[in-house]
Amino acid sequence: MLSLTHETTLSVLRAVATQHGKAKHTDMLPSAGTPERTGLINAVSHLFGARSVALPDTSITLGEWAQSLIDHTDIEYLNLHDTTSSAFCDRLQRCYRHTAASLSQEAKALRAMLALPEAQERRLISWLSLQSVSGFVLGALLPQEAGWQARSLADNANALWELNTGDVIATDSQRWRQLAARLPALPDGVTAITTTPLDDATRQTLEQKGVTDIVELYSEPALGVIAARRSPEAPFELLSHWHPTESHNYLLRLAPGSAMQEVKLAEPLAWVGARSFERADAGALWPGYASSQASRRYPGPVHNASAA
């Protein structure tokens, strides 16, 4: 079961309430018995994978709901969405079920992959929907797992002008393009995480503004984050709980407390090392990328996970 703090649960409830038309910057609930309240209850119940969640009629704030969920609801899985992001909102698309164990495992793997030095205070500023798998893991679970402060750029527009040494910013490439030209000069040690590939101009602008580390993630909505890389010239490296197979279309996932699980990928991978790959359609995604990689040489085909 997933253990969430009050702060994390409240941030997720705020995201759901905002998505369903409730005004921002207030934690007051719609009146009991109204269609707005019923719709919000249904949305929260669906997100947390429960037919019935502990959301008392007497509650008047999202904070009360958050505490009730923590005290009385066992979270075994969440229904998280794929999204299409625009300038200031996320359109929720197809829904996927993610187990609590796999989400927690992913947050731990991302923290280990980032390998950031211990700091007394570190913040993760997210501009991602908390109802998507990448947004939930990066914007909610990872800060909770690492003991960082979580902030949503959608709710705290000034967060970019209040960055401290060692802070982490996470969003997709479309929004990075919007942010890059507007970012002030940055303090040392800021890490940028992108959930989709950056174009060269955006990457160069971020580096010029002082971003220390740019981490590009590879993910699928149904599976979560699979791999990461820190350079556009490098292949993606599998996160620790993923293992290769002899196929380009399947991976093995080591789930906590259970045997390896074989999963089918939505898109094939082009293996270039024991645990590294390029996207099979990289040339189509990044113009000029395939030709820039043509001169590179990698080891031969990989074997199954037992040999990795």
Side-chain angles (χ1 to χ4, degrees), residues 14-56:
R14 284 171 175 159
V16 177
T18 299
Q19 188 76 41
H20 283 262
K22 182 179 177 294
K24 293 183 180 180
H25 310 304
T26 174
D27 285 346
M28 296 299 292
L29 290 165
S31 299
T34 61
E36 292 79 10
R37 176 96 161 206
T38 300
L40 190 55
I41 289 172
N42 291 338
V44 172
S45 299
H46 177 71
L47 175 66
F48 287 104
R51 293 183 179 178
S52 177
V53 293
L55 302 174

Side-chain angles (χ1 to χ4, degrees), residues 107-116 138 193 213 215-217 225 227-230 237-240:
K108 290 179 171 64
L110 285 170
R111 182 188 181 187
M113 180 275 300
L114 289 170
L116 295 174
L138 289 169
I193 299 177
D213 196 12
V215 179
E216 186 174 288
L217 303 180
V225 180
R229 66 182 180 184
R230 282 182 157 87
E237 295 287 335
L238 292 173
L239 296 185
S240 57

Side-chain angles (χ1 to χ4, degrees), residues 158-295:
N158 292 328
L160 292 178
W161 281 263
E162 300 170 354
L163 292 171
N164 297 324
T165 299
D167 282 350
V168 181
I169 313 170
T171 191
D172 58 39
S173 58
Q174 178 179 335
R175 288 168 171 171
W176 273 122
R177 283 195 295 272
Q178 297 174 36
L179 293 177
R182 295 172 173 81
L183 281 172
L186 299 174
D188 294 335
V190 169
T191 297
I193 299 177
T194 178
T195 59
T196 47
L198 292 180
D199 60 82
D200 289 342
T202 300
R203 180 179 289 273
Q204 291 171 7
T205 301
L206 292 176
E207 291 172 345
Q208 291 168 2
K209 291 293 180 72
V211 171
T212 300
D213 196 12
I214 299 175
V215 179
E216 186 174 288
L217 303 180
Y218 181 91
S219 62
E220 291 188 0
L223 302 178
V225 180
I226 295 170
R229 66 182 180 184
R230 282 182 157 87
S231 168
E233 288 78 32
F236 285 97
E237 295 287 335
L238 292 173
L239 296 185
S240 57
H241 57 291
W242 290 103
H243 298 273
T245 69
E246 294 179 342
S247 169
H248 298 288
N249 298 295
Y250 290 87
L251 285 176
L252 295 174
R253 177 166 52 195
L254 179 59
S258 63
M260 287 276 191
Q261 176 189 16
E262 187 177 69
V263 297
K264 186 174 182 179
L265 297 163
E267 298 180 6
L269 307 177
W271 294 107
V272 296
R275 293 181 56 82
S276 58
F277 64 88
E278 302 286 3
R279 292 189 65 160
D281 57 351
L285 289 172
W286 306 297
Y289 179 84
S291 60
S292 71
Q293 303 298 300
S295 63

